[in-house]
Amino acid sequence: MNSPSRSAIARCLSASVFVGSLLAAPLHAAEAPHPKLVVTIAVDQFSADVFTEYRPLYQAGLKRLATGAVFPKGHQSHASTETCPGHSTILTGMRPARTGIIANDWQDPLLPRTINGKETFAVYCVDKPGPAGGSADKQVISPDSLLVPTLGDRMKARDPATQVVSIAGKDRSAVMLGGHHADLTLWWTPAGFVTYPDRASNIPKEIATTVNANVVRSYGQPSVLKLPPACAPKSRETKVTDEISIGTLKNLPAHSKRWRATPAMDAFTVDAALAAVKSFNLGGKHSTDLLAVSFSGTDYAGHYYGTEGAEMCTQQLALDQSIGRLLAGLDKTGIPYVVAMTADHGGIDTTERNKQRGVTEAARLDTNLLAANVSNAIQKHFPSLPKPVLLGGLEFANDVYLNAAIPADRRAEVLHATAQHYRNHPQVAVVFTKNELIAAEPPSGPVDEWTLLQRAKASFNAQRSGDLVVLLKPYISLYSLPRNVDTDYTASHGSPWGYDRRVPLVFWWKGIVGFEQPVAVETVDLAPTLAKLIGLDVPAGEFDGRALPVVQP
């Protein structure tokens, strides 16, 4: 065999050095963005599980975002995984314990009011309640219950010329993202997108006329839904009750509440967002502006139909297109922007389909656990106490409140009896008292390894949380059997378990060197990450989260 020539050896050595230099040096020069517009996208009930399952099918906006910095194991770290608490974490960088938004609704034992002539102690998270003894018949939507500033509030404090716009399918979503000083906070109603009554003049003309007219027209017409070919394998009917089945697409009559679970809801949210970008010239002036958009369609699809049928598949592909249209509209402005996307909570599939698929623990809520029924049971042991012993609505809530009228010298024994009553129920995982939660250390360590006590502590606010916090076992739906096909939900969220806590976090901008980081992070990391990207200094300790390393060295 002939030996290689000296020239051939030299060529090989030269090639080896060249290849080695390529491996040693970074293939891309990663640079931090210099955005004029910060865009935050929240997808209601967009669990990390749903994101991972449908990720191969995305072809538009979600596909683009998934080429950025992806944290597939994000967490809404707290126990009460509902819409209002979850949205409150995203742009404040703080957990509900500090935002004060412990649930969608809570009870205030010292604020009796009337609704439809009946006494109530309930407070809606974005309602500005009137005085004790007043009427709660008409809500006054307000950000007052949010105890901390949002990123937009901080940006405006640094630069008053900064513009903040928040648009969502739900009022609580828009308010929590927009904060206290937004220039425009919009949410969907059957009559179109609306805002605070004293700020109606801020609604851009295109939204007030064209967009809202289209919303009213769409809502008032039957919805004819088309199954995408990629969703055909998901199209299998599951019976929930004799009258209600899920899993296959069904056309809807005009004015159906389930219209909110069709692609139309998110499509009109994009229309409103792009109209607001144009009207306010967001990102087109000297200051850095903020646009927050919350898409609600996925949440309604999850509630009405669960996460694993043709309905959710259709919703996901439509959401992908809607986000794609939003990004394309932003591209046309030529304004440099950065996007952060996450969710307010995850969700669980319907009990009936979970049972079919081998989840033996799956069960619907025993209505004996509703506050009114527990109150009646406790009342039998304490017949002399004022009624009701416990305050609460018609749905299960983690927080349990004793009536303030119970005498001080009886409260300890009543609380003990109530706690024991819950603990004896086979669907209850754990019960914490207010004193236990006050004494507990703030949560720390890997968020996916937190104990139930740590998760409950992240939700706990001493001024608003209940006298007891009751957490159910895994795969217990927070809803009993639905009765009304148009209004009742079949699937829930709100638990402290992983399927309700896990959500994706994604960051994207033009030119980003994308990567995927599987380590568990929190949604409270989103705001400090954006603050760092735009050079906004925030004093240490004012965020519960941390700035994530989204710019690769």
Side-chain angles (χ1 to χ4, degrees):
M1 181 179 292
N2 295 329
S3 299
S5 66
R6 289 183 178 180
S7 60
I9 293 173
R11 287 196 300 272
C12 289
L13 289 173
S14 176
S16 297
V17 170
F18 175 70
V19 171
S21 67
L22 286 178
L23 293 176
L27 295 177
H28 302 279
E31 294 183 2
H34 300 283
K36 296 293 293 178
L37 180 62
V38 174
V39 180
T40 299
I41 296 174
V43 180
D44 204 320
Q45 203 184 138
F46 192 38
S47 71
D49 300 333
V50 167
F51 172 68
T52 300
E53 179 178 359
Y54 290 99
R55 192 170 170 181
L57 298 182
Y58 298 142
Q59 296 296 322
L62 287 169
K63 181 177 182 179
R64 188 204 297 199
L65 295 182
T67 64
V70 179
F71 299 83
K73 288 181 65 177
H75 283 75
Q76 286 285 0
S77 53
H78 50 275
S80 185
T81 48
E82 294 185 323
T83 297
C84 213
H87 275 86
S88 82
T89 71
I90 293 171
L91 284 177
T92 65
M94 299 184 219
R95 303 175 187 123
R98 294 176 70 184
T99 69
I101 308 301
I102 62 167
N104 286 346
D105 305 88
W106 58 85
Q107 305 291 315
D108 187 340
L110 300 178
L111 189 63
R113 295 179 293 160
T114 60
I115 185 166
N116 296 326
K118 296 182 179 180
E119 188 174 56
T120 182
F121 296 87
V123 176
Y124 178 45
C125 64
V126 292
D127 183 20
K128 185 174 184 177
S135 172
D137 288 338
K138 186 176 181 180
Q139 291 179 337
V140 179
I141 302 303
S142 163
D144 287 2
S145 290
L146 182 63
L147 301 179
V148 297
T150 61
L151 181 65
D153 292 332
R154 294 181 187 275
M155 291 169 66
K156 290 179 78 71
R158 179 181 70 170
D159 179 3
T162 289
Q163 300 178 105
V164 175
V165 171
S166 179
I167 299 174
K170 299 179 182 178
D171 51 14
R172 55 188 178 269
S173 306
V175 172
M176 289 297 123
L177 294 179
H180 299 275
H181 304 294
D183 298 273
L184 180 66
T185 305
L186 283 183
W187 56 89
W188 174 89
T189 73
F193 287 92
V194 301
T195 188
Y196 308 118
D198 61 343
R199 303 185 194 177
S201 61
N202 290 358
I203 300 179
K205 183 178 180 180
E206 183 178 347
I207 297 175
T209 55
T210 305
V211 175
N212 281 351
N214 291 337
V215 169
V216 172
R217 185 179 303 110
S218 176
Y219 186 71
Q221 294 176 343
S223 297
V224 179
L225 304 175
K226 184 178 180 181
L227 182 70
C231 296
K234 293 280 188 179
S235 186
R236 295 182 180 182
E237 189 167 73
T238 295
K239 188 175 180 180
V240 179
T241 69
D242 289 340
E243 293 77 27
I244 300 174
S245 63
I246 58 171
T248 61
L249 283 189
K250 298 178 178 65
N251 294 333
L252 303 173
H255 301 105
S256 170
K257 295 291 185 183
R258 295 195 174 201
W259 177 92
R260 299 173 296 175
T262 71
M265 165 70 89
D266 293 340
F268 287 122
T269 303
V270 170
D271 290 346
L274 291 177
V277 169
K278 179 181 177 182
S279 177
F280 284 84
N281 190 21
L282 292 181
K285 302 174 185 177
H286 177 73
S287 302
T288 301
D289 296 328
L290 186 147
L291 171 68
V293 183
S294 179
F295 293 103
S296 302
T298 297
D299 184 65
Y300 288 117
H303 274 309
Y304 282 125
Y305 310 113
T307 60
E308 293 303 312
E311 304 96 340
M312 180 60 79
C313 183
T314 301
Q315 163 60 22
Q316 284 301 298
L317 299 192
L319 173 69
D320 175 43
Q321 294 298 320
S322 289
I323 292 178
R325 189 160 59 87
L326 174 64
L327 300 182
L330 294 174
D331 291 341
K332 290 180 181 179
T333 68
I335 295 165
Y337 65 95
V338 61
V339 180
M341 182 186 73
T342 190
D344 55 346
H345 54 74
I348 184 176
D349 198 21
T350 53
T351 298
E352 291 69 29
R353 192 156 46 210
N354 274 334
K355 285 182 176 179
Q356 289 178 351
R357 297 184 175 184
V359 183
T360 57
E361 307 94 329
R364 290 199 170 272
L365 178 75
D366 181 352
T367 55
N368 287 318
L369 287 171
L370 296 177
N373 294 330
V374 176
S375 183
N376 290 336
I378 299 300
Q379 194 85 44
K380 293 177 181 179
H381 298 285
F382 302 96
S384 63
L385 293 180
K387 295 181 180 181
V389 175
L390 306 181
L391 309 180
L394 298 177
E395 294 184 359
F396 178 82
N398 293 337
D399 288 274
V400 177
Y401 300 78
L402 297 189
N403 190 330
I406 295 174
D409 62 349
R410 305 291 306 279
R411 294 182 69 82
E413 63 174 328
V414 175
L415 187 66
H416 177 78
T418 304
Q420 196 58 45
H421 183 89
Y422 278 109
R423 289 178 179 130
N424 289 339
H425 195 285
Q427 289 189 341
V428 172
V430 67
V431 178
F432 299 117
T433 67
K434 175 175 282 191
N435 287 340
E436 287 174 320
L437 289 165
I438 290 174
E441 292 293 324
S444 61
V447 63
D448 53 341
E449 302 292 341
W450 283 6
T451 66
L452 289 180
L453 178 62
Q454 290 176 307
R455 300 175 196 191
K457 179 73 173 183
S459 284
F460 178 77
N461 179 278
Q463 283 69 49
R464 292 179 177 171
S465 294
D467 296 290
L468 297 174
V469 170
V470 179
L471 303 179
L472 302 183
K473 291 180 179 178
Y475 295 102
I476 303 297
S477 173
L478 273 65
Y479 302 134
S480 55
L481 277 174
R483 296 180 180 180
N484 187 305
V485 70
D486 189 56
T487 60
D488 290 356
Y489 292 158
T490 71
S492 70
H493 56 80
S495 82
W497 304 108
Y499 48 76
D500 282 344
R501 297 174 77 225
R502 290 189 299 267
V503 296
L505 265 73
V506 178
F507 297 86
W508 182 92
W509 60 85
K510 186 176 181 180
I512 187 174
V513 177
F515 65 91
E516 188 152 328
Q517 169 57 277
V519 173
V521 297
E522 296 185 63
T523 56
V524 294
D525 297 331
L526 186 146
T529 303
L530 291 177
K532 183 176 180 180
L533 288 176
I534 61 175
L536 178 64
D537 292 327
V538 177
E542 292 200 11
F543 287 137
D544 288 329
R546 63 187 176 92
L548 298 173
V550 294
V551 179
Q552 293 296 285

